[in-house]
Amino acid sequence: WGTVRNIVGMPIWTAPLTSEPSAPPGESSAFPTPPISFAAFTKRISRIREQMRAEKLDCLLVSSVVNHAVRYLGFFDPELQGRGSGSSQLVSILLPLEGDPVLFLQSFTAAEYMRQRAQASSYIKDIRLVGGDNQHVLQLVVDQIHLWKLDGGRLGLAGGEIDWAERLFFSQFLPRVNLVDANPMLNLLRIVKDSEEIELMRHSAAI
């Protein structure tokens, strides 16, 4: 495919990174593509994990309905939530200290369209579309934490929207997990911008 560049001229694509084939970012106008390079995304995840180690977190869950906190962890499409059904939909990203992250996307309608769009706009390989209400998403998070054998560890919650509901749910279905408010940690990480983020900010200011 060659090198595809973002709006400020930075290379963002050299190989397929999703679990299913999709068009390289910038090659099609049908779907949004990641605004940062894969290298920058990888460094960002490494920085998050460094802080997770410092906070002694085994796993981090970031959830968004309308405020798009999940964009920092790799869900870069600001319009996909609600596009399929016309109403706000939950997106959750589960990041373990080791291993690949999982993206849970609540889907009421147009599932295949949403899958293709989500794959185009994220570097996360494991994207799972979930039908039903928010509890279905949270139950799959519980199942994944059990699968990773982290149900006795420390789980950081961030996003600032449904943290309270997650606490109630996980207190019942993950009774041995130590739930930690990870919003301060994530907010501090987001304050420090890398070179690509700074260039994007400059580009936005120039428009």
Side-chain angles (χ1 to χ4, degrees):
W1 296 327
T3 300
V4 178
R5 299 178 181 275
N6 64 13
I7 57 176
V8 295
M10 296 177 179
I12 59 174
W13 185 273
T14 55
L17 297 165
T18 52
S19 55
E20 299 178 19
S22 60
E27 200 167 275
S28 171
S29 60
F31 304 124
T33 56
I36 63 174
S37 69
F38 182 61
F41 173 71
T42 301
K43 289 179 181 178
R44 178 181 294 180
I45 294 299
S46 295
R47 288 180 57 231
I48 294 172
R49 282 176 163 152
E50 286 177 9
Q51 285 304 117
M52 289 173 63
R53 290 187 183 92
E55 301 282 341
K56 294 181 171 57
L57 296 180
D58 298 292
C59 206
L60 175 66
L61 178 67
V62 180
S63 299
S64 296
V65 179
V66 295
N67 75 2
H68 306 301
V70 288
R71 294 191 71 187
Y72 192 71
L73 268 78
F75 185 73
F76 297 112
D77 188 342
E79 298 182 5
L80 183 55
Q81 289 169 275
R83 181 175 286 271
S85 65
S87 61
S88 299
Q89 293 160 245
L90 175 63
V91 178
S92 295
I93 294 176
L94 189 64
L95 177 68
L97 195 56
E98 297 180 2
D100 295 330
V102 180
L103 191 159
F104 300 92
L105 173 60
Q106 190 179 29
S107 173
F108 301 124
T109 59
E112 283 312 305
Y113 164 84
M114 294 181 70
R115 182 185 299 280
Q116 294 174 34
R117 184 170 175 132
Q119 287 172 338
S121 65
S122 179
Y123 289 125
I124 295 176
K125 298 177 182 179
D126 193 346
I127 299 175
R128 305 180 190 180
L129 270 60
V130 186
D133 58 19
N134 292 357
Q135 289 193 18
H136 284 78
V137 178
L138 298 183
Q139 183 58 56
L140 289 181
V141 170
V142 168
D143 294 344
Q144 188 61 49
I145 289 174
H146 280 301
L147 184 64
W148 284 338
K149 302 186 185 304
L150 298 177
D151 47 316
R154 286 167 57 86
L155 172 63
L157 303 178
E161 287 186 80
I162 67 164
D163 303 17
W164 62 273
E166 291 173 336
R167 282 185 172 275
L168 290 174
F169 190 88
F170 296 146
S171 294
Q172 180 178 358
F173 294 99
L174 290 171
R176 297 194 302 117
V177 163
N178 186 356
L179 301 173
V180 179
D181 180 8
N183 285 294
M185 179 194 79
L186 195 61
N187 290 339
L188 286 173
L189 284 166
R190 296 178 69 179
I191 288 173
V192 181
K193 308 299 182 185
D194 63 25
S195 59
E196 291 192 20
E197 289 177 294
I198 292 171
E199 287 302 315
L200 287 168
M201 293 169 68
R202 285 174 175 161
H203 179 83
S204 298
I207 295 177

